[in-house]
Amino acid sequence: MTLAQLANSIIGRMSREVGSQIAQARAWLAAARRIAVLTGAGISAESGLPTFRGTNGLWRQYRPEDLATQQAFARNPKLIWEWYDWRRSVHAQCAPNDGHRALAALEARCEQFTLMTQNVDNLHESAGSKKMIHLHGSLWSVRCTRCGREQVNMQVPLEPLPPLCECGGLQRPGVVWFGEALPERELRAAVAAAREAEVFLVVGTSSLVYPAAALPRMALECGARVMEVNLDATELSAVAHMSLHGKAGEILPQIIC
Ligand code: OAD
């Protein structure tokens, strides 16, 4: 056998394997009545948003302790707001992709569906997802550090910076920072969905950040089939029932139809 023939035979075998994985994933999703999905920055990468840990990822360019902690905000609220205002302006120019749309379609046809995201963008909602759990908050929400009032604010760019509440208090971004607890109601709902799921789909997350990363593991313990869609292998790959490697915007439409 020539080298070219050997390469062709390996490629052929690999694409047959991927094809049968896709068919299996589609069958699991079609048969399940209770589906939970956890997404991370990877699902929005094809919409033009940076991830955190990949090439050009945000945490490769900035130190989280300088921009995403209460201490950093107390030191220099204007600087922190400038960074979040820049992120808001980038997000405002992005549109959902086929991966977001496929998950919205899955919700529409599934009896009991929960979509939980670590993302602070609103691309799932823009794609038509209805029942969402934002585990790490939202870039579009602001919270008063004095009276605690939380509001949606879509203004881009924000003026003045830092923004002030009607009570005169300083507002902060409505996102979860390092060292902070996840919102209690959202976390409780996510845990319940993970425990009840027949299929738990994990999309575009490095599965490194807890407690979100614990959710698919909880689902596994409760008997769910756990599937991962990611460009690369992750911390979850070794224990998941299936890892589909590729772009979320290409794989999700194939397994959800
Ligand atoms: P990461 O940047 O850690 O991981 C992104 C994952 O997406 C990686 O595993 C990539 O391989 C994968 N990926 C990239 N492009 C993809 C594509 N087109 N299709 C499929 N997968 C793709 O981002 P997260 O896991 O979301 O928290 O990070 C988790 C949390 O860490 C974030 O929510 C944020 C951060 O610190 C807070 O800010 C609290």
Side-chain angles (χ1 to χ4, degrees):
M1 193 185 271
T2 66
L3 203 57
Q5 284 169 329
L6 180 66
N8 279 341
S9 127
I10 292 171
I11 291 167
R13 198 168 59 235
M14 279 166 62
S15 58
R16 277 194 299 281
E17 275 165 21
V18 172
S20 77
Q21 270 192 320
I22 298 266
Q24 179 67 83
R26 202 163 43 208
W28 283 346
L29 286 171
R33 283 169 300 126
R34 296 184 304 279
I35 299 174
V37 182
L38 171 68
T39 63
I43 193 166
S44 297
E46 288 157 75
S47 295
L49 290 175
T51 64
F52 290 93
R53 296 172 183 82
T55 321
N56 301 324
L58 290 175
W59 297 153
R60 296 219 176 195
Q61 304 169 59
Y62 309 99
R63 284 164 19 112
E65 51 274 46
D66 291 342
L67 295 166
T69 61
Q70 284 181 13
Q71 293 79 353
F73 187 68
R75 269 196 308 271
N76 193 343
K78 186 155 190 286
L79 173 77
I80 304 310
W81 263 117
E82 280 166 0
W83 191 64
Y84 279 95
D85 199 39
W86 165 72
R87 287 183 63 194
R88 285 162 60 103
S89 68
V90 174
H91 283 226
Q93 287 162 27
C94 291
N97 63 55
D98 287 345
H100 296 107
R101 280 188 282 275
L103 291 178
L106 184 60
E107 175 177 9
R109 71 152 210 237
C110 179
E111 211 175 294
Q112 194 178 317
F113 183 86
T114 307
L115 176 56
M116 33 195 136
T117 188
Q118 298 165 87
N119 299 343
V120 293
D121 63 49
N122 63 355
L123 295 179
H124 283 302
E125 289 93 330
S126 304
S129 288
K130 302 269 184 293
K131 223 178 113 199
M132 294 280 317
I133 299 177
H134 275 278
L135 290 166
H136 292 168
S138 165
L139 266 189
W140 303 107
S141 117
V142 294
R143 189 165 75 246
C144 179
T145 54
R146 186 192 287 172
C147 72
R149 184 166 170 225
E150 186 137 11
Q151 283 171 280
V152 173
N153 184 332
M154 303 296 288
Q155 192 191 357
V156 176
L158 267 173
E159 274 170 15
L161 270 189
L164 296 177
C165 178
E166 280 153 25
C167 78
L170 182 63
Q171 286 177 321
R172 59 161 280 175
V175 299
V176 174
W177 279 331
F178 284 85
E180 292 185 324
L182 266 57
E184 208 180 306
R185 194 160 41 100
E186 279 77 357
L187 184 58
R188 220 176 306 120
V191 167
R195 290 207 169 120
E196 287 168 11
E198 290 167 50
V199 171
F200 194 109
L201 178 60
V202 186
V203 185
T205 173
S206 53
S207 291
L208 288 171
V209 176
Y210 284 78
L215 294 164
R217 290 170 169 85
M218 266 176 214
L220 264 178
E221 279 167 20
C222 295
R225 290 193 199 281
V226 174
M227 295 193 283
E228 173 184 57
V229 176
N230 199 300
L231 280 185
D232 300 313
T234 71
E235 294 293 304
L236 186 71
S237 307
V239 292
H241 290 100
M242 184 188 294
S243 287
L244 289 160
H245 293 307
K247 291 184 175 176
E250 291 173 7
I251 292 187
L252 291 176
Q254 292 181 64
I255 62 175
I256 298 164
C257 48

